[in-house]
Amino acid sequence: MHPLLKKDRETLQEVLSQTQKVAAEYFRQQDTLPPGRFIADIPMETLPEKGIGALATLDHFAKNFADQMANSAGPRYFGFVTGGSTPASVAGDWLVSAYDQNACGSNDSIAPQLERQTIHFFKQLFGLDEAYFGAFVSGATISNFTNLALARQWVGLQQGKDFSNDGLTGVQPLTVLSGTPHSSIFKSLSMLGVGRKSVIRVAILPEREAVDIDALEKQLKQQTGPVIVVANAGTVNTVDFDDLVAVGKLKKKYNFWLHVDAAFGGFAACSEKFAHLMEGINAADSITIDAHKWLNVPYDAAMQFTRHKNLQLSVFQNSAAYLGDPDQSPDFFHYTPENSRRFRALPSWFSLMAYGKEGYREIVERNCAAAHHFGELLKASEDFVLLAPVRMNVVCFTLKQDDRSAEIIHKFLEAVRDDGRVFFTPTQLHGTWAIRAAVSNWLTDLPDMDLAFEVLEKVSEKLKKVQPA
């Protein structure tokens, strides 16, 4: 054994202890570290011929890089829809690396059994029928990709074709209908060979992002073959929900696969205040929900659910003699894009066990209350205007001025970022450049929103002074 490996093995307890200290220092500062920052490109160094060992490397990292990490897991990071990591999920995630399980087998480790248990917990949390099969994947994009791969296979079978074996050659173009599809839907369709242009944007309700059911039915009537409908359970700009009950009723009249993108909106089911938004979810053929968003577990962790496990096997089965018969050993590498799979279910299991339904109900309702509070502050402001009602945990707003160009909004957000206390991302809503505040962190509370508003007002006043009259 190489001397450095031998030494690190002998001093592993010290390595782990020092690593814990670096992590603890981050958690100690989590309320004050900048949630967003700009870090210039670093010079690319030459790989050392001789290593320096784990402790020296840890020290080098701590001194040179640790303080430049963005505090995106903190309470005032409002960009994208990013949760933090609950204490229990951090404990679980550290153990994932320690045990280093390839969580693909059925009975060769407890890991895949705990993944099944965690999926079972999620079905109870989200109110999903027991008939759904579920598995962990890396994120919402790959969950959408996996589910749309099943939808693609279903469309082929309706036409007497097996796309998984024969490919898409010589078939008529597939059609995907959606009101406000997330960008990952287009990316997934590109990767699947279906193509971004397969999406037909269906009319949405006035001043909403939810699909117009009458317009959707009109489009369905015009289709000559099976189609895919992508419904939204929580859009990223305004957390708008399609009427899933009404969409489900259309399935009884028209031949389509219903995929529901509930990446973070699925957590509405945790609260009696918002659970009605998820009514009708069980009409879905497939569902995407993301754990590293509102569940607040470390990246990467999302789930995909489907009523069509056999279709999933036909698409993702990994045919190799050494992998065994999926009927006898229903391993996850027969059902997901990956063969080797990190034991990413464990942090979710830890967090669900630690805090239960009640804990997640509290997080969802507190985050939503914080978002509503922030919305009220913006509504009363002379400098900002809400672009949509605050439905749950996302606030979409813009500057109350004539010039709301992309350049102005980006310049404004750069100044907010450089203040070092809060972080937002830009967006567009109905053609207007805007700012998005997604409140998804288990630490966030009303004082964080007060501080966020204070920063926005400060930056607005500062930029007014430098703008020409």
Side-chain angles (χ1 to χ4, degrees):
M1 183 180 288
H2 190 282
L4 288 172
L5 286 170
K6 185 173 184 293
K7 180 182 178 183
D8 284 348
R9 183 182 185 187
E10 293 170 348
T11 60
L12 181 58
Q13 290 300 318
E14 185 179 358
V15 171
L16 295 176
S17 176
Q18 292 301 316
T19 303
Q20 190 273 336
K21 289 181 180 179
V22 173
E25 179 61 17
Y26 164 67
F27 289 127
R28 186 184 68 80
Q29 302 179 72
Q30 205 168 32
D31 283 338
T32 57
L33 288 172
R37 59 203 316 174
F38 175 79
I39 303 295
D41 293 345
I42 63 174
M44 297 293 101
E45 298 180 355
T46 302
L47 174 69
E49 181 65 30
K50 294 182 180 297
I52 58 176
L55 285 171
T57 300
L58 180 63
D59 184 64
H60 178 71
F61 170 82
K63 289 179 178 177
N64 294 282
F65 304 116
D67 64 350
Q68 298 183 69
M69 292 289 176
N71 187 23
S72 55
R76 290 184 294 278
Y77 181 92
F78 303 122
F80 309 108
V81 184
T82 299
S85 296
T86 63
S89 72
V90 171
D93 199 61
W94 285 3
L95 290 176
V96 170
S97 295
Y99 289 122
D100 195 24
Q101 302 288 288
N102 183 2
C104 64
S106 291
N107 300 103
D108 56 352
S109 165
I110 195 64
Q113 307 297 334
L114 279 177
E115 178 165 341
R116 290 187 180 89
Q117 175 64 74
T118 309
I119 289 292
H120 183 64
F121 282 160
F122 277 127
K123 286 191 284 188
Q124 295 172 322
L125 187 68
F126 300 132
L128 303 183
D129 288 347
E130 187 55 37
Y132 282 98
F133 171 78
F136 272 82
V137 291
S138 59
T141 297
I142 296 302
S143 179
N144 280 330
F145 170 84
T146 302
N147 286 321
L148 289 172
L150 310 187
R152 180 189 64 177
Q153 182 73 356
W154 175 84
V155 169
L157 293 178
Q158 304 304 299
Q159 302 172 349
K161 299 181 183 298
D162 182 355
F163 289 160
S164 67
N165 283 312
D166 302 328
L168 300 177
T169 304
V171 302
Q172 66 184 46
L174 276 68
T175 299
V176 180
L177 304 177
S178 188
T180 310
H182 187 265
S183 61
S184 64
I185 298 297
F186 295 94
K187 183 174 183 176
S188 298
L189 294 170
S190 172
M191 292 190 290
L192 288 165
V194 175
R196 293 182 172 92
K197 291 183 178 180
S198 65
V199 177
I200 295 176
R201 302 290 286 264
V202 182
I204 54 179
L205 296 171
E207 305 301 319
R208 295 276 302 277
E209 289 187 298
V211 72
D212 183 318
I213 297 298
D214 292 336
L216 177 59
E217 182 165 17
K218 183 178 179 180
Q219 284 287 352
L220 288 168
K221 286 180 179 178
Q222 295 174 5
Q223 304 306 313
T224 57
V227 298
I228 301 166
V229 172
V230 176
N232 287 299
T235 57
V236 295
N237 280 333
T238 66
V239 203
D240 211 348
F241 283 69
D242 290 339
D243 185 339
L244 300 180
V245 173
V247 176
K249 289 179 180 178
L250 291 178
K251 277 179 65 68
K252 298 177 181 179
K253 299 171 62 176
Y254 304 97
N255 191 28
F256 64 89
W257 177 284
L258 175 58
H259 172 61
V260 177
D261 186 349
F264 72 95
F267 286 88
C270 296
S271 167
E272 292 180 1
K273 294 181 179 180
F274 305 108
H276 65 279
L277 297 169
M278 285 285 282
E279 288 180 13
I281 187 65
N282 285 299
D285 294 288
S286 59
I287 304 166
T288 286
I289 304 183
D290 205 341
H292 58 236
K293 288 184 168 62
W294 224 344
L295 195 75
N296 278 257
V297 301
Y299 286 92
D300 53 16
M303 299 78 65
Q304 60 83 213
F305 299 91
T306 183
R307 288 185 173 275
H308 305 274
K309 183 179 179 182
N310 288 339
L311 280 183
Q312 191 153 337
L313 176 64
S314 67
V315 174
F316 292 105
Q317 182 174 355
N318 198 26
S319 301
Y322 68 90
L323 294 179
D325 182 347
D327 289 332
Q328 302 300 319
S329 179
D331 299 336
F332 285 114
F333 51 62
H334 290 303
Y335 293 93
T336 62
E338 301 160 300
N339 285 353
S340 300
R341 305 170 71 250
R342 191 173 190 266
F343 186 17
R344 57 174 64 96
L346 191 60
S348 294
W349 181 87
F350 260 72
S351 210
L352 289 167
M353 285 292 292
Y355 311 116
K357 289 183 180 180
E358 184 179 88
Y360 278 98
R361 179 167 59 249
E362 191 277 333
I363 291 173
V364 166
E365 293 182 355
R366 172 160 45 87
N367 282 172
C368 291
H372 279 78
H373 174 67
F374 188 54
E376 291 302 310
L377 294 175
L378 292 167
K379 281 166 64 174
S381 168
E382 297 181 356
D383 296 326
F384 306 98
V385 58
L386 281 179
L387 292 178
V390 181
R391 296 185 174 90
M392 286 188 68
N393 66 318
V394 175
V395 185
C396 192
F397 63 102
T398 193
L399 303 177
K400 192 182 288 186
Q401 60 185 52
D402 293 335
D403 190 349
R404 301 168 180 169
S405 63
E407 180 181 359
I408 290 294
I409 294 295
H410 281 82
K411 181 179 178 181
F412 179 82
L413 289 179
E414 286 173 4
V416 171
R417 177 200 66 201
D418 292 344
D419 173 88
R421 290 180 287 174
V422 295
F423 182 79
F424 303 94
T425 47
T427 191
Q428 272 191 309
L429 182 65
H430 307 314
T432 298
W433 276 98
I435 301 167
R436 219 172 119 269
V439 185
S440 318
N441 190 285
W442 67 281
L443 291 167
T444 306
D445 215 332
L446 298 184
D448 297 299
M449 310 318 298
D450 290 334
L451 179 58
F453 183 69
E454 176 187 319
V455 172
L456 290 174
E457 285 199 311
K458 173 187 172 184
V459 171
S460 179
E461 288 302 314
K462 182 178 179 181
L463 291 182
K464 283 180 187 177
K465 293 177 181 178
V466 299
Q467 290 177 353

